[in-house]
Amino acid sequence: MTDVCRRAAAEIDERLSSLRNILALIDPAASLMSRSRLDDLLAGFDIYRRMLGDALHDIADALSGTAAAEEGPVHWESVRAPTDTGKVVADRVIVESATMIAGSLAVLRRHLLPTRELWDGDRVSVLGPAVEWTIAADGLLGPDGVLGQISRAIAVTWPELPGTGWAAGTTPIGRG
């Protein structure tokens, strides 16, 4: 299970990195935001990306040495940055990348659920990895997260990505 978590963390981080590179190519003049606003959102993206990675690595570290059974191999698709940086391609890649990242988090959550008592709680971090994961996932993929805000500014219809946080159906921080 430790290897599954580490592999998922690496692949999710790679997807987020590819997505970050695409977002950096957005022309603020063609959107409803200034360059400084885009830079602020990308800085937030970097913070949430690091926070999500930290949560996943904390889980893997806590599972290290445990004998939890794996449910079978996990297959992760890879996201390639488009060669054409036109708006239509960028829009499609942003939505598809976010959807794949959300799917990867859901798969990982299913694999880790039976082991939660081994890694969650005060002994790992102040927040606990499940809470840290939820805050980071909502900050990246939630409707009011970084990608949701950028999508609105460039007129991309943002998909509903339920349950990207640890607990399926979690609400973003600051909501209901």
Side-chain angles (χ1 to χ4, degrees), residues 140-160:
L140 285 168
L141 303 170
D144 296 323
V146 171
L147 291 173
Q149 292 180 53
I150 290 173
S151 293
R152 280 191 301 279
I154 62 174
V156 171
T157 302
W158 190 241
E160 291 291 323

Side-chain angles (χ1 to χ4, degrees), residues 121-138:
D122 293 336
R123 58 181 186 223
V124 178
S125 70
V126 175
L127 293 176
V131 173
E132 190 173 17
W133 173 336
T134 299
I135 291 169
D138 288 343

Side-chain angles (χ1 to χ4, degrees), residues 11 47 50 105 116 118 132 149 155-156:
E11 293 188 20
I47 291 167
R50 186 172 47 250
L105 288 169
R116 184 171 179 175
L118 300 172
E132 190 173 17
Q149 292 180 53
V156 171

Side-chain angles (χ1 to χ4, degrees), residues 1 3 6 13 29 31 40-41 44 59-60 63 68 72 81 93 95 98 112-113 160 163 166-167 170 173:
M1 193 57 64
D3 291 340
R6 286 194 173 122
D13 189 64
S31 70
D40 288 346
L41 287 168
I59 292 168
L63 287 172
V93 170
V95 171
L112 291 173
L113 187 58
E160 291 291 323
W166 169 256
T170 60
I173 300 303

Side-chain angles (χ1 to χ4, degrees), residues 57-88:
H57 286 287
D58 285 348
I59 292 168
D61 289 347
L63 287 172
S64 182
T66 64
E70 198 174 310
E71 293 179 13
V74 179
H75 302 285
W76 311 96
E77 309 85 357
S78 63
V79 174
R80 293 187 185 98
T83 55
D84 172 9
T85 57
K87 183 178 179 340
V88 173

